Amino acid sequence: MSVAYTWGTEEGERRLPFPCDRYVEQAEAACFRGIPVRARPATLFRWLCQMRVAPYSYDWIDNAGRRSPRTLTPGLEELAVGQSVMRIFTLVDFAKDRHLTLRIKHGTGAFSLFGDLALTYLIVPESPERCRLLVKMVTRYPRGLTGALMRWGLPWGDLVMMRRQLLNLKTLAEARRDP
């Protein structure tokens, strides 16, 4: 498989169960991302909750030029299914200190462009102070020309954006040891 589909992950990690698989019927593609993080799962989870207000990727593209917060915002860890995340996603499932699962908002321009899409940010503990952050994105592309373009462009575009996001979240979680 191409790096656009597997960046930073091992074959065994790609076989793990991911909650996002339940949210897109007849998915046509799956992309995986992974990164080691020297932080407690609870600390990393708090940073994942920050995505409710900012994308943490390339802010000049994804956040209208506003910088994603570099300090934890109190209360963002109080999750509820249905909350908005990164403006184009809805929180559909979560387990504290373990995972966030998001689905693209239906009826939006993002849905028309990307198709049906869900992703899980999964924290896999390795030791009390170290974990892996794995992401799986499953997609059913839109039909027609848009779908054809997305089949080629989404895995590569997502790799660029999510790589930056994961590296930013890693840096922030590693700099702050307490949740």
Side-chain angles (χ1 to χ4, degrees), residues 11-68:
E11 184 179 334
E13 292 173 330
R14 295 189 293 271
R15 286 194 302 257
L16 292 172
F18 286 81
C20 62
D21 291 324
R22 297 189 304 258
Y23 293 95
V24 176
E25 292 183 29
Q26 301 173 348
E28 298 171 88
C31 294
F32 297 87
R33 316 287 181 230
I35 193 165
V37 181
R38 287 185 319 273
R40 294 175 21 202
T43 301
L44 179 56
F45 187 78
R46 285 286 311 276
W47 282 103
L48 291 179
C49 293
Q50 289 285 124
M51 292 188 303
R52 287 179 48 200
V53 296
Y56 288 90
S57 58
Y58 291 101
D59 287 334
W60 58 277
I61 296 172
D62 271 355
N63 206 25
R66 294 181 307 275
R67 188 168 190 206
S68 296

Side-chain angles (χ1 to χ4, degrees), residues 63-129:
N63 206 25
R66 294 181 307 275
R67 188 168 190 206
S68 296
R70 294 309 193 240
T71 57
L72 291 171
T73 305
L76 288 182
E77 73 281 5
E78 297 170 18
L79 299 177
V81 169
Q83 289 173 326
S84 184
V85 179
M86 294 182 284
R87 293 189 311 244
I88 65 169
F89 294 102
T90 299
L91 180 65
V92 294
D93 193 5
F94 67 94
K96 187 176 187 296
D97 301 340
R98 182 72 174 141
H99 79 85
L100 292 181
T101 298
L102 315 175
R103 189 171 187 190
I104 201 145
K105 290 180 179 176
H106 288 217
T108 65
F111 179 75
S112 299
L113 180 62
F114 298 117
D116 200 2
L117 185 147
L119 61 161
T120 295
Y121 292 79
L122 180 68
I123 299 171
V124 180
E126 293 184 325
S127 74
E129 297 291 325

